[in-house]
Structure formats: structure tokens, C-alpha cells
Amino acid sequence: MKHPILSGSGYKFYMIVWLVIMLVHGSVLYFYYDFSISVALGDSLIYNLIYGAIVPGFWFIVVFGGLNKDSISLLATHLGAATISIAVWLTASGVILKIIFNTNGSYIQFLQDATIWRVIIGSLFYSISVLLFYLIRYYQDMQERMNRELELQNLLKDSELRMLKSQINPHFIFNSLNSVSALTVTNPKDARDMVIKLSDFLRYSLGKGNEELTPLNREVENVSLYLNIEKIRFGDKLVFEKEIDPKTENILLPNMILQPLVENAIKHGVYDSVEPVLIRLKCFMNGQILRISLENSFDKTAIPVRGEGIGLENVKKRLDLVYGKKDLLAINKSTELFEVVIEVPLKESDHE
């Protein structure tokens, strides 16, 4: 979150504001209290420069001081901050001015008499500064949410296009149709089952447009359907196992979030392997987090299949946009096992 004064060109407007305050301050001392021009300028310069240097620090109190606090704690935080800042301001300014104008008895007496008014003015400055910082923070939060929602919408549209271009790619459909064609001769019943599965998979995939969340059991059902179709192509070389905690079945997560993980396991685990490849899906709760693990064995002697690397990166970015965290996807790789782990924080609707 950008500091409204210390980042960008905000300091220019800030300096103009304090210059106006200093001119008003000095004018009051010169024209109303009849102090000399040097005393009026010195008093105005010292008091306002020091307070102007303190005010930017109030931003950090607004951003970090009030997080996860109730109203009483928040009020205590600001009362403490106001008291300390005003005390520092008055003490430092008074000491400096007494040293500079120590021979001017009338001004030294004025310094003492005006203390209560300066406390009131300091409190007013603190209140106005904090109020403005809260308004700026609210505006920045709103802008950030709007940008995130816009980016999420763009990513969903991009995901939908990629799904049409690659996830339901011509090779997958052609290979499936070829398998169906072969089965119609050798095993008409399996051919009919495969056509039904392929139809269900396409219906689910194409029906998921910009709908954001879907229950885990629907996602698992979809990837199981996809793997059943792929198993007809790869036969015994593809083995799929799943361990699903019943408590996790209705938890909502971004739709089609598991599909790229399964495709990645097929592409980099099954394609060039001569031995059976086990793909294992595990879903369980870890506190208030749904933890999904998809691991696959692979032939370490096979030449790695080159890819664009966008599948897992796309999943990671979608999780970041939906849940606001960048560490929800992890990859663990050993010599014979590749594992992708994603974590889905529970939303309020998941507790209902």
C-alpha cells in the first residue's frame, strides 16, 4: 500500500499545504500579537516544520496500528499516538525557540501561556491527518479490489479460451474418437460408455464459463471422467487412485482448478513412460484449509516432454486472485515422483 506523501508526487501537495499553514501562523503572530517579523517567522517555521515531519508517520498507525483491533483498542491506539506526538512536538519546538529567543521576555512568556492552545491545535492537526489517511486508505483498498476483480475476470476469460484451445484440444478429441471407433468393433459396450463419458466431460467443461466456484466433489467427478477417457487410450499404463475425505466434498473452490494438474500428470508422467504410472489424488482438511495433493510417478529415463509451463502457473495465479495469497501452490519433485499441492482456505459459506 503506497504512502500518500512519501511515494509519488504527493509530497509536493503536502509541502504546499504546510507552506500555507506557516504563512497563516506567522501572519497571526505578526499582525495580531505584534511580535517582530523574526519572532513570527521563527515560531511559525519551527513549530510547523517539526509537526510536518511527524505527520507522515501517522500513516503507518492507520495502516498497521488498527488491524484486527476492536473499537476500544483502536481508540486507545490513537489517543496514545496523539499524546506522544504532541508531547514530542511541543517539547522539541519549545526548547529550540527558547534557545533562539531567550532574551525576548515577552515571547518566552507567550510560549508558556500559549501551551494549551498549541495542544488543541496539535490535536486538531492529528485528527484531520488521521481522518484524511483513513479516507486515502479506503480509496486505495477500493481501487485494489477493483483491479483484482478486473484481473480475475480477464484471467477467467483467458482460462476459458485456453480450455477451448488446449484442454479440449483436437488431439484429445480425435484420439478419443479413434478409440471409440476401434471399440465399436471389439467392444461395442465400452464404445458406448466412452461416448457417454466424453459427452459428459465436454458438457461440464463447456458449461463452466465465468462461474467462479464449484464444489470439490464436482471437480473430482470431472477429473475422474477425464482420466477414465484417457485410460481407454493408455490402458494399464495409467492407474488412478483417489482418497477424498468426505468432509471436503462440498467445499467450494475455483472451477476447473484441478484439470491443469491432471493434464500435467498425463503429459509429463504417462506419455513417454513404458511402465504403469500411478496418479494419486488426495483431498483432506488441514485446520481451516482444504489441502489437495496430486502426485504421479514418472519414468526418470524418459526424455522430458517440453511444455509452455502455463498450466501450473495459471492455477497459482487464479488461487492468488481468488484468495489473496501467493503461496497456495507448491511443487515437490523427487527422482521418481512429482507432486503438486494446492491449499484452499475455507470461505464463510463453507462453514454453513
Side-chain angles (χ1 to χ4, degrees):
M1 191 168 289
K2 293 183 179 179
H3 196 294
I5 298 174
L6 303 180
S7 62
S9 58
Y11 72 93
K12 295 179 181 177
F13 178 76
Y14 182 72
M15 292 175 65
I16 292 174
V17 170
W18 277 105
L19 180 60
V20 172
I21 293 174
M22 280 191 287
L23 290 175
V24 173
H25 184 155
S27 298
V28 171
L29 293 179
Y30 180 73
F31 292 108
Y32 185 78
Y33 289 97
D34 292 328
F35 284 114
S36 65
I37 187 70
S38 60
V39 170
L41 288 178
D43 187 288
S44 174
L45 190 66
I46 297 300
Y47 271 106
N48 292 301
L49 276 181
I50 292 178
Y51 208 97
I54 293 175
V55 167
F58 298 161
W59 170 254
F60 299 103
I61 298 173
V62 170
V63 173
F64 302 109
L67 294 177
N68 301 322
K69 288 185 176 180
D70 54 32
S71 57
I72 296 178
S73 299
L74 187 61
L75 179 62
T77 298
H78 282 298
L79 284 176
T83 302
I84 294 173
S85 61
I86 293 172
V88 171
W89 172 53
L90 291 179
T91 302
S93 303
V95 169
I96 295 174
L97 288 169
K98 285 180 181 177
I99 293 174
I100 296 175
F101 301 110
N102 62 340
T103 59
N104 191 331
S106 61
Y107 176 70
I108 297 300
Q109 184 61 44
F110 172 78
L111 275 181
Q112 296 175 352
D113 295 340
T115 300
I116 185 64
W117 288 106
R118 295 188 194 274
V119 170
I120 295 174
I121 292 173
S123 301
L124 183 62
F125 281 175
Y126 180 88
S127 301
I128 294 174
S129 301
V130 168
L131 178 60
L132 290 175
F133 283 152
Y134 270 113
L135 291 175
I136 293 172
R137 183 188 175 188
Y138 175 78
Y139 176 77
Q140 289 183 351
D141 285 339
M142 185 176 65
Q143 287 292 318
E144 186 176 349
R145 285 198 298 271
M146 291 175 63
N147 291 335
R148 287 168 59 86
E149 289 177 0
L150 181 61
E151 189 176 357
L152 179 58
Q153 290 177 1
N154 291 335
L155 189 62
L156 285 173
K157 291 179 180 178
D158 183 63
S159 299
E160 189 175 5
L161 289 174
R162 290 186 186 283
M163 178 182 68
L164 292 174
K165 290 173 61 178
S166 59
Q167 293 179 351
I168 310 174
N169 61 71
H171 294 293
F172 169 72
I173 296 177
F174 291 153
N175 289 331
S176 299
L177 292 177
N178 287 333
S179 299
V180 170
S181 176
L183 286 173
T184 55
V185 177
T186 60
N187 195 333
K189 182 178 181 301
D190 284 352
R192 185 174 63 256
D193 291 342
M194 186 173 179
V195 169
I196 295 173
K197 291 175 180 176
L198 183 61
S199 174
D200 290 342
F201 174 77
L202 292 175
R203 185 180 298 109
Y204 177 85
S205 301
L206 295 174
K208 292 293 180 182
N210 292 330
E211 188 180 340
E212 185 180 350
L213 300 175
T214 192
L216 173 65
N217 57 354
R218 291 287 295 132
E219 279 292 290
V220 173
E221 182 181 342
N222 181 60
V223 296
S224 299
L225 194 59
Y226 174 82
L227 288 170
N228 284 337
I229 297 171
E230 292 285 24
K231 185 171 178 59
I232 296 176
R233 294 173 51 195
F234 295 105
D236 295 336
K237 201 169 68 171
L238 172 60
V239 181
F240 176 56
E241 294 180 356
K242 58 184 178 183
E243 300 175 19
I244 311 297
D245 184 345
K247 297 178 182 177
T248 65
E249 291 182 348
N250 294 320
I251 293 177
L252 301 178
L253 69 167
N255 67 71
M256 300 296 288
I257 202 74
L258 300 182
Q259 184 69 19
L261 276 59
V262 178
E263 283 188 28
N264 188 73
I266 293 287
K267 185 174 183 180
H268 298 281
V270 181
Y271 264 98
D272 295 319
S273 177
V274 295
E275 300 293 332
V277 172
L278 172 63
I279 297 177
R280 180 182 287 119
L281 174 66
K282 294 186 288 187
C283 304
F284 56 93
M285 295 302 302
N286 183 13
Q288 294 299 307
I289 294 176
L290 167 62
R291 189 177 175 91
I292 301 174
S293 165
L294 185 80
E295 62 180 28
N296 66 272
S297 56
F298 62 91
D299 186 354
K300 60 183 179 181
T301 61
I303 299 175
V305 178
R306 297 187 62 184
E308 299 178 14
I310 58 175
L312 298 182
E313 187 62 29
N314 189 28
V315 172
K316 184 177 182 180
K317 195 168 184 178
R318 286 187 67 189
L319 292 171
D320 176 23
L321 289 171
V322 174
Y323 300 102
K325 295 184 177 180
K326 297 183 179 297
D327 57 349
L328 297 180
L329 185 147
I331 296 175
N332 304 312
K333 185 177 182 181
S334 63
T335 55
E336 296 180 346
L337 196 67
F338 186 89
E339 180 188 26
V340 180
V341 179
I342 63 175
E343 294 184 338
V344 179
L346 264 61
K347 291 181 174 291
E348 292 184 0
S349 56
D350 295 321
H351 296 284
E352 296 176 351

